[in-house]
Amino acid sequence: MVNIINTISRSKYFERFLMNVASILLFLVLYSCDKDDIKAEAINKSLDITIDNENLKLTNSSISSNESCNGVFASCKYDSSNNLGFRIEFRLTKNGALKNITLYDYRNENMHFETADFNPKGLMTITNFEYDQTKNYLHFNFKGELLEQSYSDELDVDKKRKHIEGTITIQDVRNTECTSFISDLNFETNNLKFSTNLSYSSFDSVLKKAPYQFYFYSDNGNCTIFKSNKNLWNLDIGTYTFNKNSIENRIDLEQYIGIFRATQLLWVRPIDWKKFQTTGSYTIKEHTIINGEKVTKGEMNLQVYDNGVLLHNINNGKFEVIGFK
């Protein structure tokens, strides 16, 4: 009898042991699954957006983003169950100047909407902008209206508008190698902030006094123009002064006064721009080569008048300009 009882007792202990082992294994399996679920649900990219009265949220694979030179870009795609969705793209500089927002709405006859030419912030606000290149982190809020695309025969036609607002956060902006250089100009006064979102240069041999012209557009409808008798790269280091009557080696400021329109091609018409009178100086401080480009760096001081009334007093504006090759 004793042997039988001991055998039964050992059998019960063994049974309990197996049950405990099974419980531990089950716990480990469930814990592992929970960890996998947590990893699978981690969100590195998100877009919360309202288009007119429709609220949507996009995450991860629906969003791509990269930085390049002085700009940062994000593209977000939404597909509905019937494969009709939209794509929205954001282009900004790394200091938050708005270059462009474009919406392709495949659900509404493939309509194409954009921020306004020359003055994108006239109808769109960007707030809480943060970009950290070391952390590959991008975040900002946006709110405003996009415009239906206009064509060359519709430059003075008011087009349909679409309201958008929301927040985008990206924690893994892809880095790309910058192999060029983008000209830049920035300054700030108590009533004007100028952040370049577009720049280009031109040479016109017909202009005998100032054939070299360097254009800087800001995201709030202003344009600053350097007008020079030489390529800036060929100007000696030093300070150049000018007054309202100077023809060459001067800086002008103009303001866009045309209607809000979105053309993609940025049609420049003199009728759309208000010209001001300017005096001041600029100082060439350095000539250097960056990514194979001839870059001239310097500072500017500018007083801007409208029929004798001082509008802006600009001190220590910073410029970096690609010269002609």
Side-chain angles (χ1 to χ4, degrees):
M1 287 294 294
V2 173
N3 289 337
I4 293 175
I5 291 172
N6 288 339
T7 300
I8 293 173
S9 177
R10 286 196 298 270
S11 176
K12 288 182 178 181
Y13 279 115
F14 183 71
E15 183 179 348
R16 291 195 190 99
F17 172 77
L18 289 178
M19 291 178 65
N20 289 335
V21 170
S23 297
I24 293 171
L25 290 174
L26 179 60
F27 170 79
L28 291 174
V29 170
L30 292 175
Y31 178 73
S32 177
C33 290
D34 287 342
K35 285 183 66 178
D36 290 341
D37 289 342
I38 292 172
K39 289 181 179 179
E41 293 172 0
I43 296 176
N44 294 321
K45 296 184 281 284
S46 68
L47 170 69
D48 292 285
I49 186 170
T50 298
I51 302 178
D52 288 335
N53 296 315
E54 183 180 20
N55 301 315
L56 296 165
K57 184 179 181 69
L58 285 67
T59 59
N60 290 350
S61 62
S62 299
I63 302 172
S64 61
S65 177
N66 70 277
E67 60 81 30
S68 179
C69 297
N70 74 335
V72 61
F73 168 81
S75 177
C76 312
K77 185 178 181 181
Y78 170 76
D79 290 316
S80 61
S81 57
N82 57 5
N83 293 322
L84 292 176
F86 66 84
R87 186 171 85 252
I88 187 166
E89 297 176 347
F90 302 87
R91 293 177 175 84
L92 299 94
T93 67
K94 291 179 179 178
N95 63 6
L98 176 58
K99 292 185 175 182
N100 179 264
I101 300 175
T102 305
L103 172 66
Y104 303 94
D105 194 344
Y106 308 124
R107 302 167 301 174
N108 293 296
E109 300 178 346
N110 293 333
M111 293 189 73
H112 177 184
F113 295 87
E114 286 194 61
T115 42
D117 293 351
F118 305 115
N119 188 14
K121 283 192 174 177
L123 295 176
M124 183 69 58
T125 58
I126 302 294
T127 56
N128 299 320
F129 178 86
E130 182 180 354
Y131 175 68
D132 188 328
Q133 187 161 350
T134 61
K135 297 180 180 179
N136 300 320
Y137 179 81
L138 173 67
H139 172 88
F140 60 89
N141 301 327
F142 56 92
K143 182 178 182 179
E145 292 179 319
L146 302 178
L147 299 165
E148 182 184 356
Q149 183 180 3
S150 297
Y151 296 94
S152 59
D153 59 346
E154 303 174 309
L155 299 185
D156 296 306
V157 177
D158 288 320
K159 301 300 290 279
K160 181 179 179 181
R161 299 185 182 190
K162 186 170 288 290
H163 177 83
I164 64 169
E165 64 179 285
T167 301
I168 186 166
T169 303
I170 300 175
Q171 302 180 47
D172 56 358
V173 177
R174 184 169 61 89
N175 298 120
T176 58
E177 182 182 2
C178 179
T179 58
S180 61
F181 186 84
I182 309 298
S183 294
D184 185 51
L185 166 69
N186 63 82
F187 57 80
E188 186 170 0
T189 71
N190 59 353
N191 59 358
L192 175 62
K193 181 177 181 179
F194 191 103
S195 298
T196 301
N197 68 344
L198 172 68
S199 61
Y200 72 90
S201 57
S202 67
F203 172 78
D204 187 349
S205 60
V206 175
L207 301 174
K208 300 302 181 182
K209 293 292 184 179
Y212 295 90
Q213 303 201 356
F214 304 85
Y215 294 80
F216 300 87
Y217 293 90
S218 69
D219 59 3
N220 55 10
N222 292 284
C223 177
T224 302
I225 311 166
F226 284 64
K227 298 179 178 180
S228 177
N229 62 350
K230 293 182 180 180
N231 183 2
L232 291 189
W233 176 262
N234 295 326
L235 286 179
D236 293 334
I237 290 176
T239 298
Y240 299 81
T241 61
F242 58 92
N243 58 42
K244 297 177 184 179
N245 299 317
S246 300
I247 298 176
E248 60 187 22
N249 295 342
R250 61 174 294 110
I251 302 174
D252 286 329
L253 182 73
E254 300 181 0
Q255 183 179 42
Y256 181 75
I257 57 173
I259 70 168
F260 289 114
R261 64 169 177 260
T263 65
Q264 282 193 308
L265 298 177
L266 299 177
W267 294 82
V268 178
R269 305 185 306 176
I271 193 175
D272 293 326
W273 294 87
K274 178 179 177 61
K275 299 180 185 296
F276 299 104
Q277 305 82 49
T278 58
T279 64
S281 66
Y282 61 92
T283 301
I284 304 296
K285 304 190 76 172
E286 180 185 5
H287 296 300
T288 186
I289 301 293
I290 301 177
N291 292 332
E293 302 284 359
K294 297 178 178 179
V295 178
T296 297
K297 297 183 179 183
E299 296 182 353
M300 55 168 272
N301 297 305
L302 193 68
Q303 294 76 49
V304 181
Y305 297 87
D306 185 12
N307 294 321
V309 178
L310 180 64
L311 298 180
H312 310 295
N313 187 20
I314 301 160
N315 294 303
N316 298 322
K318 311 290 185 183
F319 64 85
E320 298 178 333
V321 184
I322 296 179
F324 289 85
K325 294 182 178 180

